[in-house]
Amino acid sequence: RGWLPSQCRSSAPARKPIPHVDFELDGFDADEEMYLDFYRQVAVHEDMLVPLAAHHTPNGAHSYYVLFDRTAAWGHPGMAQLLAVHLQRDREKRTFTFEQAGVPLPAMAQSWLVHRGCPQDAIGLDPELGPPPADEATRALERRLAGDGDHYAMGYSYTCDDPDDMVTVVALRALDERAPSPFRVVVEEVDTDAWTHTLREGGFDTVGEALQWCDDRLTGEAGPLPPVRPAAAASRPAVLPKAPAPRPPGRSR
């Protein structure tokens, strides 16, 4: 996917060795349920988690991580491959708690962490662990998603690792019904030859239109993304329903 460490892709330029995450929990404990949850949701694959970004508060009470999960490629097709983790440590009691979320795009992981207290300018991605933005439009959209990503609810995503068409599609619903284009599709595409990525956004008036565009993009039949436009006056679903699994690229209709 877009932030796959370059050493794992033959088409990418050589970079520094892949770093390993350190949650700095030696000597810390948690109640049994919290400890088991952390192990099952995060630490079980600790040696396969690549820290794309991390920030620690000076007193060590909070740590924020954007992690690439290298085991995701072995899981359910299309699953999100990034993990956002917020650790909270009580230095006096030597205990910890945590929150985590699996997300499909780095900017969405950053947004999740920003809205849990991480300064936005402190959680920048390591430029040597993935393809850089191809243009200013990509940079601007990533900054906006990192800052106001909590204005949207994710209803569907699919990550395709096909080297000939490396793409992630995400369908979002605006939480403010007055927002223009209440349904959005965000698309990340990786150019494996140039080793850059682009991020683009389109606006839709209905959930069905947004999900259909995602499906068409994954099968190579989508037209250009429609621009974000004023929301239609028609009534809108209150929630974004779960989408059916898209046809993998190349499957006949």
Side-chain angles (χ1 to χ4, degrees):
R1 75 164 312 281
W3 282 89
L4 183 63
S6 58
Q7 295 85 345
C8 300
R9 306 215 63 87
S10 60
S11 58
R15 303 285 185 176
K16 68 181 182 181
I18 299 175
H20 297 283
V21 65
D22 182 359
F23 292 116
E24 301 180 13
L25 290 177
D26 291 345
F28 285 82
D29 202 355
D31 65 59
E32 184 176 1
E33 183 177 358
M34 179 70 64
Y35 187 89
L36 289 176
D37 283 347
F38 183 74
Y39 177 78
R40 293 166 180 161
Q41 298 175 28
V42 180
V44 66
H45 299 307
E46 184 172 345
D47 60 337
M48 297 296 287
L49 298 175
V50 180
L52 303 183
H55 172 66
H56 312 281
T57 56
N59 61 3
H62 297 266
S63 289
Y64 305 88
Y65 302 88
V66 177
L67 304 170
F68 174 75
D69 183 1
R70 290 188 283 172
T71 69
W74 311 335
H76 184 75
M79 69 183 296
Q81 298 182 355
L82 292 166
L83 191 66
V85 176
H86 175 207
L87 279 177
Q88 300 181 67
R89 305 178 188 85
D90 187 319
R91 291 284 180 178
E92 293 185 1
K93 298 180 180 179
R94 306 297 291 176
T95 59
F96 75 92
T97 60
F98 82 103
E99 298 177 89
Q100 64 84 31
V103 293
L105 295 174
M108 297 176 68
Q110 291 169 313
S111 175
W112 189 89
L113 295 171
V114 166
H115 291 93
R116 282 157 180 79
C118 183
Q120 185 171 343
D121 60 0
I123 199 68
L125 302 173
D126 187 330
E128 296 193 27
L129 290 178
D135 50 34
E136 183 54 36
T138 296
R139 296 185 188 92
L141 180 53
E142 288 177 337
R143 286 193 297 266
R144 183 165 63 78
L145 286 177
D148 65 10
D150 64 330
H151 298 175
Y152 301 90
M154 186 181 76
Y156 165 77
S157 75
Y158 193 98
T159 296
C160 176
D161 275 327
D162 183 347
D164 295 323
D165 186 21
M166 195 177 294
V167 60
T168 297
V169 294
V170 184
L172 304 169
R173 174 179 59 86
L175 299 180
D176 182 355
E177 293 196 359
R178 299 168 297 177
S181 296
F183 298 98
R184 309 286 179 92
V185 170
V186 179
V187 184
E188 181 192 74
E189 298 176 332
V190 177
D191 183 331
T192 55
D193 292 326
W195 198 235
T196 60
H197 75 277
T198 59
L199 194 67
R200 296 291 186 265
E201 178 187 45
F204 297 85
D205 291 328
T206 70
V207 59
E209 292 171 336
L211 295 176
Q212 185 62 56
W213 194 94
C214 291
D215 191 29
D216 290 345
R217 174 61 186 84
L218 293 170
T219 55
E221 301 173 4
L225 272 171
V228 173
R229 56 189 182 273
S235 61
R236 301 189 281 277
V239 296
L240 184 60
K242 183 179 180 181
R247 293 177 293 278
R251 183 182 296 179
S252 59
R253 290 183 176 267

